């Protein structure tokens, strides 16, 4: 058996100890890392609608203090390690959600944000007089049930007319359109109760004004921040448990 000189032995022990501490440190960092996942439509994927390319998921992970000084320190990165996996896509409907989750590998602490339904309404459900919204709800329920992320925060669908019939752009009688929006949001709320929490974007945006929108229905730069504002309390609460 070879006997190592004491100096060399101490050196190797120190290196091994440092390597172990480094490994433990990396493991702790990975375990404490929070990953925010976004799924759905342009409510979360609205970067192309403002000159800065900003969308709500970015702002929740790390605020842009220059654009939004009000929110300085009110983001995940200010409270620990955090990253964003942005999978939401402008124009998506409920049928496109499974593709957004393809290849998903979740490790460590994670939160899923989902906004969907607005495009489904625009593609026909706003005038639904049958089972269309029930089918939407079933598809969303299956997606959330199979999503390997908990907790889940589901956003309701806002009304870009801000409750003003004069701003109606759909060509559908406002009473019917709002009834179907209400049916959809009720279904989203039921699913949120089953798997996570509801973020009531509809109620929040009714307190806003036209500056929150661009291209008629899309969140503007201010709108992106307001979507962030609506999600922020629940995101921060969930990460501090």
């Amino acid at each position: 058996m070879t006997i190592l000189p004491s100096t060399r032995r101490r050196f190797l022990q120190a290196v091994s100890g440092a390597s172990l501490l480094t490994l433990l440190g990396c493991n702790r960092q990975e375990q404490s890392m929070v990953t925010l996942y976004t799924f759905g439509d342009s409510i979360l994927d609205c970067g192309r609608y403002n000159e800065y390319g900003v969308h709500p998921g970015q702002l929740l992970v790390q605020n842009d203090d220059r654009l939004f000084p009000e929110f300085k320190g009110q983001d995940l990165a200010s409270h620990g390690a955090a990253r964003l996996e942005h999978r939401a896509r402008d124009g998506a409907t409920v049928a496109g959600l499974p593709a957004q989750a393809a290849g998903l590998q979740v490790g460590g602490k994670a939160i899923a944000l989902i906004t969907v339904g607005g495009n489904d309404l625009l593609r026909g459900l706003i005038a639904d007089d049958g089972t269309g919204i029930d089918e939407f709800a079933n598809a969303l329920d299956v997606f959330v049930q199979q999503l390997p992320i908990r907790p889940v925060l589901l956003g309701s669908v806002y009304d870009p007319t801000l409750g003003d019939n004069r701003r109606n752009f759909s060509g559908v009688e406002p009473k019917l359109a709002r009834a179907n929006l209400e049916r959809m949001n009720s279904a989203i709320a039921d699913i949120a109760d089953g798997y996570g929490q509801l973020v009531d974007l509809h109620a929040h945006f009714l307190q806003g004004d036209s500056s929150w929108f661009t291209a008629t229905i899309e969140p503007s730069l201010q709108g992106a921040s307001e979507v962030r504002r609506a999600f922020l309390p629940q995101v921060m609460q969930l990460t501090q448990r």
Side-chain angles (χ1 to χ4, degrees):
M1 181 176 67
T2 302
I3 305 296
L4 294 173
S6 61
T7 301
R8 185 181 177 194
R9 187 166 59 250
R10 285 195 297 270
F11 172 75
L12 291 174
Q13 288 171 343
V15 170
S16 295
S19 298
L20 179 59
L21 289 173
T22 300
L23 180 60
L24 290 173
C26 289
N27 286 341
R28 279 195 294 268
Q29 185 176 15
E30 289 174 1
Q31 291 170 1
S32 63
M33 171 78 74
V34 177
T35 302
L36 190 70
Y37 292 84
T38 61
F39 301 95
D41 54 24
S42 62
I43 294 179
L44 290 172
D45 185 37
C46 56
R48 72 190 64 191
Y49 296 104
N50 65 78
E51 61 182 306
Y52 299 98
V54 168
H55 56 78
Q58 291 173 321
L59 297 174
L60 286 163
V61 171
Q62 186 163 18
N63 182 55
D64 188 318
D65 294 345
R66 179 175 58 91
L67 292 175
F68 304 106
E70 171 191 358
F71 290 94
K72 185 175 182 179
Q74 298 183 57
D75 53 33
L76 293 176
S78 296
H79 298 270
R83 61 180 287 267
L84 174 68
E85 186 156 335
H86 180 60
R87 290 175 171 242
R89 292 293 177 264
D90 180 20
T93 64
V94 72
L97 291 178
Q100 292 181 15
L104 192 63
Q105 295 183 341
V106 181
K109 196 165 190 176
I111 301 173
L113 274 53
I114 305 172
T115 60
V116 72
N119 294 310
D120 297 85
L121 286 168
L122 293 175
R123 295 185 187 187
L125 292 186
I126 198 168
D128 181 53
D129 59 359
T131 62
I133 290 178
D134 291 336
E135 292 168 2
F136 165 88
N138 288 336
L140 180 58
D141 187 87
V142 169
F143 173 75
V144 178
Q145 181 181 14
Q146 296 178 350
L147 189 68
I149 302 171
R150 294 292 184 272
V152 174
L153 297 179
L154 272 164
S156 59
V157 181
Y158 58 59
D159 176 3
T161 73
L162 302 173
D164 184 349
N165 289 348
R166 295 170 299 178
R167 297 167 60 97
N168 182 24
F169 60 89
S170 68
V172 177
E173 201 278 321
K175 185 176 180 180
L176 175 61
R178 291 209 171 86
N180 281 325
L181 173 62
E182 184 176 344
R183 286 176 60 204
M184 175 169 284
N185 279 337
S186 178
I188 291 171
D190 288 343
I191 295 168
D193 286 344
Y195 301 104
Q197 298 178 27
L198 177 73
V199 175
D200 198 347
L201 295 175
H202 176 65
H204 180 62
F205 270 69
L206 285 178
Q207 304 172 43
D209 57 50
S210 59
S211 70
W212 292 18
F213 301 97
T214 187
T216 305
I217 62 172
E218 310 295 352
S220 63
L221 179 64
Q222 183 61 40
S225 182
E226 294 301 330
V227 173
R228 173 264 304 275
R229 188 192 299 273
F231 275 98
L232 182 62
Q234 284 148 290
V235 167
M236 298 306 294
Q237 181 183 43
L238 289 170
T239 56
Q240 291 169 12
R241 289 179 179 177

